[in-house]
Amino acid sequence: RAQNYLEGKAAGRGWQQEIRFHLATGHEVTLANTPHPKFNSGGPEALLNGVNGSDERYGDEEWLGFSGEDCLATIDLGTAKEINEVAFRFFKGEGQWIYLPAQVVVAASEDGTAFTEIGRLEQVTGASKVVSPRITFPAITTRYLRIEIKNFGIIPQGQQGAGNASWLFVDEISVK
C-alpha cells in the first residue's frame, strides 16, 4: 500500500497492489518469441512479477499477447530449488480471437542447456475469461525451467475470425 502525504495529511488516493510471491518471482526470464508490440508493455518480466493481470480485460501491462506464435519461456531460478508445481494464467476471449493454448510443456535443467520434460497439459480448457491450470509433479531440484505454451493455431470454421491465426494471452507463471 502507498499513500501520498502533504503536511501530515493524506493527499490524493491511496494505492495498493497485491503481489503473490513464488519461487520464480523477480527472477530472469527470456522469451524465444517476442510478444506483439501492442500487448508487451510489461515485458517478459510480467510473467514472473507476482502481479496478476485483470480478470476482465487482456489489455493491461500484465498480459503478454502472442499473435499466431507460441510462448517459449526459459526461467533461471538463480540457484537450484526444489519445486513440484508450475501454475499459469491464460486469457480466453474467442470473440476477440483469443484462444486457450493447445498444449503446455514444462521441462527442467541443471545447466540451462539439456532439458528434461517434467510435466505437460495436453488440453487446456475452461469456461471463464481467465483459466488457471496447474502442472504438478513429484518434487525435483532444478535451476532452469523451459515452458512451452503452444498457440491454439488457426481459428476453426464457424468461429469469429475463422481461418486466421489465434491470439495467445499469458499472465503470471508461478513456480512452487
Side-chain angles (χ1 to χ4, degrees):
R1 294 178 186 230
Q3 175 68 57
N4 287 325
Y5 287 87
L6 182 61
E7 297 178 5
K9 294 183 180 181
R13 292 185 318 184
W15 175 85
Q16 71 178 28
Q17 177 67 60
E18 182 177 0
I19 299 174
R20 296 179 176 158
F21 290 94
H22 51 84
L23 295 175
T25 304
H27 285 284
E28 182 181 340
V29 59
T30 56
L31 297 175
N33 298 324
T34 303
H36 188 280
K38 187 175 177 182
F39 301 106
N40 189 24
S41 62
E45 297 78 18
L47 295 176
L48 302 178
N49 65 3
V51 178
N52 287 346
S54 171
D55 288 344
E56 295 300 319
R57 52 186 187 76
Y58 53 87
D60 68 24
E61 62 190 30
E62 298 304 324
W63 289 101
L64 299 185
F66 298 85
S67 178
E69 293 188 317
D70 300 336
C71 175
L72 305 172
T74 302
I75 299 169
D76 180 353
L77 297 173
T79 60
K81 296 180 180 174
E82 185 175 294
I83 66 169
N84 68 349
E85 178 181 282
V86 180
F88 306 89
R89 284 177 43 94
F90 302 120
F91 199 91
K92 178 183 175 185
E94 294 175 2
Q96 292 84 35
W97 306 8
I98 303 169
Y99 281 74
L100 295 173
Q103 180 186 68
V104 180
V105 178
V106 177
S109 173
E110 296 286 329
D111 61 8
T113 303
F115 284 84
T116 302
E117 183 178 320
I118 58 174
R120 87 173 33 224
L121 290 172
E122 286 296 334
Q123 185 177 14
V124 178
T125 61
S128 62
K129 287 183 183 179
V130 176
V131 176
S132 302
R134 301 174 183 282
I135 297 176
T136 58
F137 41 86
I140 64 162
T141 300
T142 191
R143 176 174 172 174
Y144 298 94
L145 292 172
R146 178 162 295 144
I147 313 293
E148 297 181 30
I149 305 169
K150 304 282 185 185
N151 186 289
F152 177 84
I154 302 301
I155 299 170
Q157 292 301 317
Q159 301 295 321
Q160 188 169 340
N164 291 292
S166 63
W167 283 88
L168 168 67
F169 274 81
V170 183
D171 183 10
E172 195 71 11
I173 298 173
S174 300
V175 179
K176 299 178 182 178

